[in-house]
Amino acid sequence: MGCAWLRGGGASRLKSPSLPIQSEREPMPSKGMTGCSFGGRFYSVEDMWHPDLGEPFGVMHCVQCYCEPLKSRRGKVHGKVTCRNIKQDCPEPDCDEPVLLPGQCCKTCPKGQANRRLGDGMFDGLEYFQEKDDDLHKSYNDRSYLSSEDMSPGEERMEFVAVLTGLIDSWLPSTSTSTITSTSTSTSGVARARFSLSRTSLAFSITYQRMGPPSKIDFVDSDGKTVFEYKVPKGDTNMICGVWKSLPKATIRQLQAEQLRVTMTTTAGRREEVEGIVIKHRALLSETFSSTLTSEEEHSGMGGIAMLTLSDTENNLHFILITQGLLKHTSGTEPPLVAIRVQLQYRQQVLREIRNNVTLHDPDFAEVLTDLNSRELFWLSRGQLEIAVETEGEEPQRISGFITGRRSCDTIQSVMSSGDALVPGKTGGVGSAVFYLHDNGTLDYQIQVAGVTSEVVGVTIELKPRRRSKRSVLYDLTPDYSSTTGRAAGSWGRLEARHIHMLLQNELFINVATAHNQEGELRGLIRALLYNGLEAPRHHTPIPLAGQFVSPPVQTNAAGHAWVSVDDQCHLRYQIVVAGLSPSDDLTVSAHLHGLAEIGELDDSATNHKRLLTGFYGSQAQGILRDVSVELLRHLDKGTAFIQVSTKVNPTGEIRGRVLVSNSCEFGTRGEVEEASEFDELFAPEELRKDPHACFFEGGHHAHSSRWTPSYNSCFTCSCQKGTVICDPLLCPALSCSHTVKPEGQCCPVCQERKDPKDLKALEEHPEGCYFEGDQKVHPPGTTWHPYVPPFGFIKCAVCTCKGGTGEVHCEKVTCPALTCSGPVRRSPSDCCKECPDDEKPQGGAVEHADTMQADGTRHCKFGKNYYQNSENWHPHVPLVGEMKCITCWCDHGVTKCQRKQCPVLSCTSIVRRDGKCCPDCLDEDELMKHPQEMKGSR
């Protein structure tokens, strides 16, 4: 079954171009058809097209979209749209003054002039990748076709790998080796680096052998420039974990084009350095076992890695080898075939052997070892099988390594909720579990259970049930569970190879059965949590979050857990995982959680020290809180603080947990909430970033005292108060009508029968009254009220007055009085001003009105992610294209209108389109004399 495999670089040609445009989720035109829906049109798989954005933008000729065929885990084929800007791929014309023809993206030479490179294909990489799909499918089943549809929002990522040795092979792409010389350094060290790119963050896990502890890791671009340096902290483990945040878009493009390399250097004693190219490899999606291959020869510079996985149903072991330095250079023009043999060994006894021929330009190798017997599977699970690669000939070279379960810095964890139970319920309980897999197949586990309805009678690790009433139990952990502490901790030393494979493929579950729910009250999927730079998940048990811990308790189907730590700068770092929230509970909630994460004191009356961490959409939230008060730090140290997640259904708290974080911080810190890295690529105006009172929230900066509707929930309104974000539920006006309806997409009900204001009886009764559009009411002359402004609700920080006689509404901002008490409080989250407690309330202190505002003012416009005032105009920014200076948009009372610049009709026959200009020009006589052939090529 020998087959030549793609080398690491070639096996990974792009099918997910950079800067993708998300496809529109529209129904397919016909049931059973496979393809992509984009812009109201249907495309078959493997179709390519230029997107048409409609008037006035037109067809984006420099954007190429592709309907990419993907396979789900069940083998069903579906399409996914990926788009990329192809202007960067335009060949350089071989003429002095190239022209841009209508309907084209790339400039070309006028007819009659040379253009030797025009025929080069722009998508050779894409076609080359597709030619190899069949081979990949044979070795890796449908797991290699894991698509983004199987991931939560924000979890879609690309995987990369690098083999680091003291020798760089010459077979690497020319774009990658322009600054590399093929020389051997004095080291036998080998390192394997695995990378996960999620938005603009690159997480990496690096293991190394036969070399000293590294001191730094450098990322080097194609020009030989170091673009990122990571200082390795001192430790006693050979696993290095790190995150490179806020990658520039140019660096992401180089990473996807396999033009980045990594170097790792030691400083202790003899200086050693290993390096390698970062490449994409789809086998990473299926890899569950791995091996780092080293040489026993000193200073050899040889090394490699093996990526292995088991078949889904049979005991077949698939593997791919990537080697460096194993094959030696020759002086011949044609790369000779080199005979190699791959052996599977146990204690130097050869169990299996495969022979094949490879070349220097295609040195990687893939094979399948079929029908492993029970002994071989047992040795595989214990990390006792060794894989060896050896060249045959006069000077044989050999590298080898032991096969273990795949290692990474990710955290294997599970949140158990009643909503994910085999029979879903709403108990408000929670289960939390973390696991660690050792090289010898031992599985350590720590499990916490809280808030269940009755005594726990079983804690088991299970497979997905084949039938609803038939559970498949693998391991019973009940003997280690203590009903007194609600915890189970221990090690399982008899994990089978098949179960290691399923564990690392996120195919195992943990189930908690209780006396009242014998089949299971809580259940959760065991899955890996991507490393994000927070060390707490790797060393500490999480804080369980349950509805039973909310005050008062909430009977919810959701549960969660969180890691919270305080660093040396007294900044609070957190990561939250939530599970079990069902879309059936609220039609406006999708399969993933809309949530607000908060931290505060257990005493709910002490609202001064309650802080919003972040608003989020999905199953996870993470970030850094830099502005931590002294009081909150003290409560964290005493264990009298809580972390809470609120949702639209339960805005006062869905799940909560008690937090104890020992710290010695004596002074508060100043700053803002640093959102998750997925927002790092968004930049705010410079003046807002420098303003110490501005707030950073959901990827953008907001000025002090500004209000906005958060993207995670349109039924909340947020405001920025001196660096602190305060979000409150929308307050709806009281309606006097008997029949109300709640329009789709709105938060508040309205009267079912809405009459024209001119016909309202109230207006007839008060002809000098005022009609206010916000609450759609007529207010008698002289009355005052807080204005209702959709979508923000009641604005408590403003008061409106109806001026009799003119019907004019006059609104003023509320100026809060100066308070003399030491502990002012805000009695309600929606109140504008704080007040002194009753026992400290001073005399006087009336609210003043100032800063006149216009009622029912003109509405602003939202275009993309920006807001514009009425009558403001701008040039639109289109993803992948940039600013379109030939199109002008303006805000017309809340409606965005755009128009392309009108070009005059030209009467000449020789027309040319010049750079930086929107309209074509006529060629003058001098230009015609200089380029007589250009007339035909530019019409």
Side-chain angles (χ1 to χ4, degrees):
M1 295 182 64
C3 60
W5 192 249
L6 305 172
R7 74 170 165 75
S12 54
R13 290 291 161 245
L14 269 179
K15 78 166 186 175
S16 297
S18 60
L19 303 176
I21 296 177
Q22 297 297 324
S23 60
E24 299 177 4
R25 298 192 178 275
E26 298 178 358
M28 293 297 179
S30 177
K31 185 177 181 180
M33 294 184 65
T34 301
C36 301
S37 178
F38 187 91
R41 297 183 180 181
F42 179 78
Y43 298 91
S44 300
V45 292
E46 300 187 355
D47 279 355
M48 287 186 178
W49 69 95
H50 299 292
D52 186 351
L53 302 186
E55 293 298 332
F57 301 95
V59 178
M60 300 288 101
H61 295 288
C62 286
V63 176
Q64 181 83 57
C65 293
Y66 171 64
C67 183
E68 175 187 347
L70 297 175
K71 276 192 177 183
S72 67
R73 297 171 69 92
R74 297 182 178 181
K76 183 178 179 180
V77 178
H78 63 276
K80 176 185 176 183
V81 175
T82 53
C83 300
R84 65 188 297 261
N85 190 325
I86 62 175
K87 193 169 185 177
Q88 60 190 2
D89 298 324
C90 290
E92 190 69 28
D94 292 339
C95 56
D96 295 332
E97 295 188 12
V99 295
L100 180 64
L101 300 178
Q104 300 294 323
C105 175
C106 301
K107 289 186 176 182
T108 58
C109 294
K111 291 185 179 180
Q113 297 189 30
N115 193 17
R116 296 184 299 271
R117 297 176 59 186
L118 187 60
D120 295 344
M122 295 182 189
F123 296 94
D124 292 342
L126 186 60
E127 295 169 0
Y128 178 67
F129 176 81
Q130 290 174 347
E131 290 172 2
K132 305 299 181 180
D133 258 2
D134 292 340
D135 289 337
L136 187 66
H137 176 67
K138 292 176 183 177
S139 293
Y140 275 81
N141 306 316
D142 58 355
R143 287 190 185 281
S144 297
Y145 294 86
L146 181 66
S147 72
S148 61
E149 302 298 325
D150 300 314
M151 300 182 182
S152 300
E155 293 180 344
E156 184 175 356
R157 59 182 187 260
M158 297 182 65
E159 303 288 340
F160 302 83
V161 70
V163 183
L164 281 61
T165 65
L167 181 69
I168 299 297
D169 286 338
S170 64
W171 53 261
L172 291 169
S174 59
T175 56
S176 302
T177 58
S178 57
T179 59
I180 302 173
T181 57
S182 297
T183 58
S184 177
T185 60
S186 57
T187 178
S188 298
V190 180
R192 171 214 165 97
R194 179 165 181 156
F195 308 88
S196 295
L197 176 66
S198 178
R199 294 184 182 264
T200 60
S201 291
L202 186 68
F204 51 88
S205 307
I206 303 177
T207 57
Y208 57 92
Q209 295 184 19
R210 294 181 63 82
M211 63 181 296
S215 60
K216 69 171 183 174
I217 298 169
D218 292 318
F219 291 78
V220 184
D221 64 11
S222 57
D223 296 327
K225 178 183 176 181
T226 299
V227 291
F228 179 71
E229 180 179 290
Y230 177 78
K231 297 291 187 181
V232 181
K234 294 183 179 180
D236 55 358
T237 175
N238 68 339
M239 172 75 75
I240 300 173
C241 306
V243 177
W244 178 6
K245 294 188 176 182
S246 302
L247 270 74
K249 291 183 178 180
T251 304
I252 293 177
R253 287 194 292 268
Q254 286 202 7
L255 174 67
Q256 294 172 333
E258 302 179 356
Q259 295 175 349
L260 284 186
R261 61 187 174 98
V262 177
T263 65
M264 193 165 67
T265 309
T266 65
T267 55
R270 180 168 56 95
R271 184 179 184 275
E272 299 175 285
E273 182 176 292
V274 292
E275 61 180 345
I277 305 295
V278 182
I279 62 174
K280 296 183 299 296
H281 217 302
R282 291 178 65 191
L284 292 166
L285 294 173
S286 301
E287 179 191 23
T288 50
F289 296 90
S290 64
S291 177
T292 301
L293 311 178
T294 62
S295 171
E296 295 183 358
E297 180 183 342
E298 291 293 331
H299 317 312
S300 65
M302 295 186 298
I305 62 172
M307 296 181 285
L308 308 96
T309 189
L310 285 173
S311 299
D312 283 341
T313 56
E314 300 176 337
N315 293 328
N316 300 334
L317 184 64
H318 305 252
F319 67 87
I320 292 178
L321 300 174
I322 301 178
T323 64
Q324 279 189 187
L326 184 65
L327 307 182
K328 301 303 180 183
H329 301 269
T330 61
S331 58
T333 57
E334 292 294 329
L337 289 175
V338 179
I340 66 169
R341 58 183 176 186
V342 181
Q343 296 177 338
L344 191 67
Q345 299 180 349
Y346 172 70
R347 294 184 178 178
Q348 298 183 347
Q349 176 185 353
V350 177
L351 305 176
R352 308 283 184 104
E353 183 175 283
I354 300 173
R355 297 173 181 264
N356 210 321
N357 296 325
V358 297
T359 67
L360 183 64
H361 293 287
D362 193 8
D364 296 351
F365 181 73
E367 226 345 323
V368 182
L369 300 174
T370 60
D371 298 326
L372 268 65
N373 58 42
S374 59
R375 290 185 306 164
E376 292 170 333
L377 289 171
F378 175 79
W379 293 329
L380 175 64
S381 68
R382 296 299 180 268
Q384 297 174 343
L385 285 185
E386 187 177 10
I387 187 169
V389 186
E390 186 175 356
T391 61
E392 297 180 336
E394 296 180 358
E395 298 181 1
Q397 306 289 333
R398 186 178 188 274
I399 54 177
S400 63
F402 285 95
I403 303 172
T404 64
R406 184 191 71 219
R407 297 184 63 193
S408 74
C409 299
D410 300 345
T411 301
I412 304 176
Q413 52 84 49
S414 177
V415 174
M416 293 155 275
S417 67
S418 55
D420 288 333
L422 293 179
V423 179
K426 291 186 177 182
T427 67
V430 62
S432 170
V434 289
F435 303 87
Y436 181 80
L437 180 64
H438 293 271
D439 290 347
N440 63 0
T442 300
L443 182 68
D444 294 342
Y445 53 86
Q446 297 186 66
I447 303 168
Q448 306 174 74
V449 179
V452 290
T453 58
S454 54
E455 182 184 2
V456 174
V457 296
V459 180
T460 51
I461 296 178
E462 303 180 358
L463 300 174
K464 182 178 181 180
R466 296 183 179 180
R467 295 196 301 264
R468 192 176 187 88
S469 59
K470 186 69 174 179
R471 291 162 52 200
S472 300
V473 177
L474 290 182
Y475 304 113
D476 187 1
L477 310 180
T478 310
D480 291 328
Y481 179 79
S482 169
S483 58
T484 304
T485 62
R487 294 172 177 260
S491 299
W492 190 268
R494 298 192 294 275
L495 209 61
E496 297 180 9
R498 169 67 57 189
H499 301 152
I500 294 176
H501 170 83
M502 299 180 74
L503 173 72
L504 298 178
Q505 282 289 340
N506 303 333
E507 294 179 352
L508 297 183
F509 298 81
I510 183 167
N511 194 81
V512 176
T514 62
H516 293 169
N517 296 276
Q518 294 286 334
E519 290 300 312
E521 180 174 326
L522 306 174
R523 190 177 180 90
L525 176 66
I526 302 174
R527 61 183 306 171
L529 182 65
L530 180 66
Y531 178 75
N532 69 342
L534 187 66
E535 288 296 318
R538 303 181 60 235
H539 305 289
H540 304 287
T541 57
I543 301 161
L545 309 177
Q548 291 293 332
F549 298 155
V550 179
S551 179
V554 176
Q555 299 296 316
T556 176
N557 48 9
H561 59 202
W563 288 270
V564 180
S565 62
V566 176
D567 60 21
D568 295 337
Q569 290 76 38
C570 295
H571 299 160
L572 186 141
R573 298 173 179 266
Y574 64 91
Q575 184 169 17
I576 305 169
V577 182
V578 181
L581 194 67
S582 170
S584 61
D585 297 323
D586 187 346
L587 296 179
T588 61
V589 177
S590 71
H592 298 281
L593 174 70
H594 296 256
L596 278 174
E598 300 171 304
I599 191 164
E601 302 171 10
L602 287 174
D603 182 6
D604 288 325
S605 63
T607 57
N608 288 341
H609 309 143
K610 185 176 179 181
R611 289 294 309 277
L612 175 73
L613 294 177
T614 184
F616 64 97
Y617 170 79
S619 59
Q620 299 178 30
Q622 60 194 42
I624 304 174
L625 182 64
R626 304 182 188 277
D627 184 10
V628 188
S629 66
V630 177
E631 292 81 0
L632 184 53
L633 288 168
R634 290 172 179 169
H635 281 281
L636 288 169
D637 188 57
K638 295 178 182 177
T640 54
F642 71 86
I643 190 166
Q644 176 173 289
V645 174
S646 303
T647 65
K648 187 187 311 183
V649 180
N650 291 297
T652 59
E654 181 90 28
I655 52 177
R656 175 188 281 199
R658 185 170 179 170
V659 183
L660 170 62
V661 181
S662 300
N663 65 87
S664 56
C665 298
E666 298 179 358
F667 303 98
T669 58
R670 299 185 63 184
E672 68 280 342
V673 177
E674 179 182 298
E675 292 299 315
S677 60
E678 58 201 66
F679 301 120
D680 288 343
E681 73 273 16
L682 302 177
F683 297 94
E686 194 66 28
E687 59 271 14
L688 283 181
R689 279 198 286 190
K690 293 180 179 179
D691 184 3
H693 292 160
C695 302
F696 185 74
F697 187 78
E698 291 187 328
H701 286 75
H702 301 270
H704 167 62
S705 76
S706 62
R707 299 175 68 87
W708 68 95
T709 300
S711 60
Y712 71 87
N713 192 332
S714 60
C715 293
F716 273 68
T717 179
C718 298
S719 63
C720 175
Q721 301 295 330
K722 293 185 178 180
T724 300
V725 176
I726 300 174
C727 294
D728 298 311
L730 187 67
L731 296 177
C732 296
L735 302 178
S736 57
C737 52
S738 57
H739 301 286
T740 62
V741 294
K742 185 178 179 182
E744 183 178 356
Q746 296 187 18
C747 303
C748 295
V750 297
C751 292
Q752 189 171 12
E753 297 180 3
R754 179 182 175 185
K755 299 180 180 180
D756 189 82
K758 295 180 181 179
D759 299 330
L760 291 173
K761 293 182 178 180
L763 192 58
E764 296 176 356
E765 296 174 0
H766 303 283
E768 296 182 351
C770 305
Y771 177 76
F772 188 66
E773 180 64 29
D775 55 16
Q776 300 174 13
K777 289 183 178 180
V778 175
H779 299 267
T783 57
T784 61
W785 69 95
H786 290 299
Y788 176 78
V789 181
F792 299 111
F794 280 112
I795 306 299
K796 291 291 189 70
C797 291
V799 174
C800 294
T801 304
C802 176
K803 292 187 176 181
T806 63
E808 179 185 354
V809 176
H810 181 81
C811 296
E812 296 178 332
K813 275 187 178 180
V814 171
T815 301
C816 296
L819 302 178
T820 59
C821 54
S822 59
V825 295
R826 182 177 281 106
R827 297 191 178 277
S828 172
S830 61
D831 287 347
C832 180
C833 299
K834 290 184 178 181
E835 300 178 10
C836 289
D838 293 336
D839 54 349
E840 298 184 44
K841 186 169 293 186
Q843 300 296 324
V847 175
E848 301 176 4
H849 294 173
D851 298 337
T852 300
M853 303 186 304
Q854 293 296 323
D856 303 330
T858 53
R859 297 172 57 194
H860 64 262
C861 298
K862 182 181 180 183
F863 186 88
K865 297 182 179 179
N866 299 316
Y867 289 87
Y868 300 91
Q869 299 300 322
N870 187 54
S871 301
E872 185 178 356
N873 59 69
W874 67 94
H875 296 300
H877 186 278
V878 177
L880 299 181
V881 177
E883 187 179 31
M884 305 193 70
K885 295 186 177 181
C886 297
I887 296 176
T888 300
C889 299
W890 65 95
C891 180
D892 184 4
H893 294 84
V895 178
T896 298
K897 299 180 180 180
C898 297
Q899 183 177 8
R900 184 178 291 275
K901 183 178 180 180
Q902 298 298 318
C903 297
V905 178
L906 302 178
S907 58
C908 56
T909 57
S910 302
I911 299 174
V912 66
R913 187 179 297 274
R914 307 180 191 278
D915 286 339
K917 292 190 175 182
C918 301
C919 298
D921 293 332
C922 292
L923 287 173
D924 56 32
E925 294 183 0
D926 293 338
E927 291 176 310
L928 283 173
M929 294 292 292
K930 185 177 180 180
H931 302 291
Q933 294 294 331
E934 193 166 305
M935 178 178 65
K936 296 181 180 179
S938 59
R939 291 189 63 181

